């Protein structure tokens, strides 16, 4: 019994003294803290919207917010999964040309796919709630699809904090600030403004992701800018369709 206890203590000491243990603990703590902040902001957004809007307006907000979230996932056309695989596969293989082509492919698919999904949403919401709300909510839908795709890429290339952290925080924080100001100052909130500031948060997040991606590419491939893009359209299209089906 004593020997087993000593062996267990020795094993624990080896783990605690192992190289990278402190960094791993710090990393897990930061991820946990980040998730806590995102959860708090999401809860605050819903709570403030419920208090700021009347019953009818809050119902409209909930409907459009949920629809944009669901359709945004469809609008990514599976690119959130593929960009992670493209980065890992082509960086490991040293194929800057295929990585450049794959990123161009994913960017175009995501933009065109989200636009394709957004068009009927725009027409429907315009007829139901007016042009201002429709344009703002549709902008949020497209921004959501693009920012979540870029978040998955940056998560793989750089880390969770810059990838998921900025994406989720900046999607909620502008709305929380706007609704908080409305409640503090007695302003009447507008759904079009709320979705507009949330779409602006998505744009800011994408800009941060683009900067992080550029730095990661420069670190992985110093000559990335001079590399000629290569395309494997048949394989990528097949993979895209395979990843898209579960979203339907």
């Amino acid at each position: 019994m004593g020997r087993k206890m000593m062996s267990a203590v020795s094993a624990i000491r080896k783990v605690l003294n192992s190289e990278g243990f402190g960094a791993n603990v710090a990393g897990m703590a930061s991820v946990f803290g980040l998730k806590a902040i995102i959860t708090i902001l999401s809860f605050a957004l819903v709570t403030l919207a419920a208090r700021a809007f009347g019953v009818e307006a809050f119902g409209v907000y909930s409907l459009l917010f949920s629809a944009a979230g669901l359709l945004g996932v469809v609008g990514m056309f599976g690119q959130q999964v593929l960009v992670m695989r493209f980065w890992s596969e082509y960086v490991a293989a040293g194929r800057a040309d295929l990585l450049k082509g794959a990123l161009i492919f994913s960017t175009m698919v995501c933009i065109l796919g989200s636009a394709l999904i957004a068009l009927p949403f725009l027409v429907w919401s315009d007829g139901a709630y007016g042009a201002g709300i429709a344009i703002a909510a549709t902008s949020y839908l497209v921004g959501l699809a693009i920012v979540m795709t870029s978040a998955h890429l940056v998560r793989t290339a750089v880390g969770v904090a810059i990838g998921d952290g900025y994406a989720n925080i900046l999607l909620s924080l502008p709305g929380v600030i706007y609704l908080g100001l409305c409640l503090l100052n007695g302003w009447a909130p507008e759904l079009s403004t709320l979705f507009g500031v949330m779409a602006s948060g998505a744009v800011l997040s994408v800009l941060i992701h683009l900067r992080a991606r550029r730095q990661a590419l420069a670190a992985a491939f110093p000559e990335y800018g001079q590399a000629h893009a290569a395309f494997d359209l048949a394989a990528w299209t097949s993979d895209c369709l395979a990843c898209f089906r579960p979203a339907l």
Side-chain angles (χ1 to χ4, degrees):
M1 188 69 178
R3 290 182 178 178
K4 290 183 178 180
M5 181 65 71
M6 292 298 294
S7 298
V9 171
S10 177
I12 292 173
R13 284 176 177 173
K14 287 181 180 179
V15 172
L16 293 175
N17 295 326
S18 63
E19 184 178 355
F21 177 79
N24 290 334
V25 172
M28 288 188 291
S30 65
V31 170
F32 178 79
L34 185 62
K35 289 185 178 295
I37 293 172
I38 293 170
T39 301
I40 292 170
L41 284 174
S42 298
F43 178 76
L45 181 62
V46 174
T47 302
L48 291 173
R51 293 189 61 185
F53 292 113
V55 175
E56 182 178 351
F58 180 69
V60 173
Y61 161 76
S62 299
L63 175 62
L64 293 175
F65 182 80
S66 298
L70 291 172
L71 294 175
V73 173
V74 177
M76 290 186 283
F77 274 74
Q79 298 312 300
Q80 75 277 20
V81 176
L82 290 183
V83 290
M84 294 190 295
R85 201 196 79 188
F86 289 153
W87 180 272
S88 299
E89 180 178 337
Y90 296 137
V91 168
R95 295 296 304 270
D97 54 343
L98 281 174
L99 180 60
K100 178 176 281 191
L103 293 180
I104 293 172
F105 172 83
S106 288
T107 300
M108 295 306 299
V109 170
C110 185
I111 292 174
L112 294 176
S114 59
L116 178 65
I117 297 298
L119 182 58
F121 178 79
L122 174 65
V123 173
W124 167 76
S125 54
D126 181 26
Y129 307 112
I133 293 176
I135 292 172
T138 304
S139 299
Y140 172 72
L141 187 162
V142 174
L144 179 65
I146 295 173
V147 76
M148 295 314 294
T149 301
S150 67
H152 279 73
L153 172 62
V154 175
R155 178 208 296 174
T156 305
V158 181
V160 174
I162 296 180
D164 294 345
Y166 280 109
N168 287 285
I169 289 174
L170 290 176
L171 283 170
S172 300
L173 184 59
V176 170
I177 294 173
Y178 169 68
L179 292 173
L181 289 174
C182 287
L183 289 171
L184 286 174
N185 295 285
W187 302 337
E190 298 288 341
L191 282 171
S192 57
T193 304
L194 176 58
F195 279 108
V197 298
M198 291 165 65
S200 299
V203 172
L204 179 57
S205 181
V206 169
L207 293 176
I208 293 172
H209 286 165
L210 286 174
R211 183 174 182 273
R213 189 186 79 168
R214 184 171 64 250
Q215 293 174 340
L217 285 169
F221 298 106
E223 303 299 324
Y224 181 82
Q226 288 71 48
H228 295 285
F231 296 89
D232 190 359
L233 294 179
W236 296 342
T237 301
S238 177
D239 292 339
C240 180
L241 293 174
C243 292
F244 174 66
R245 291 190 192 100
L248 295 177

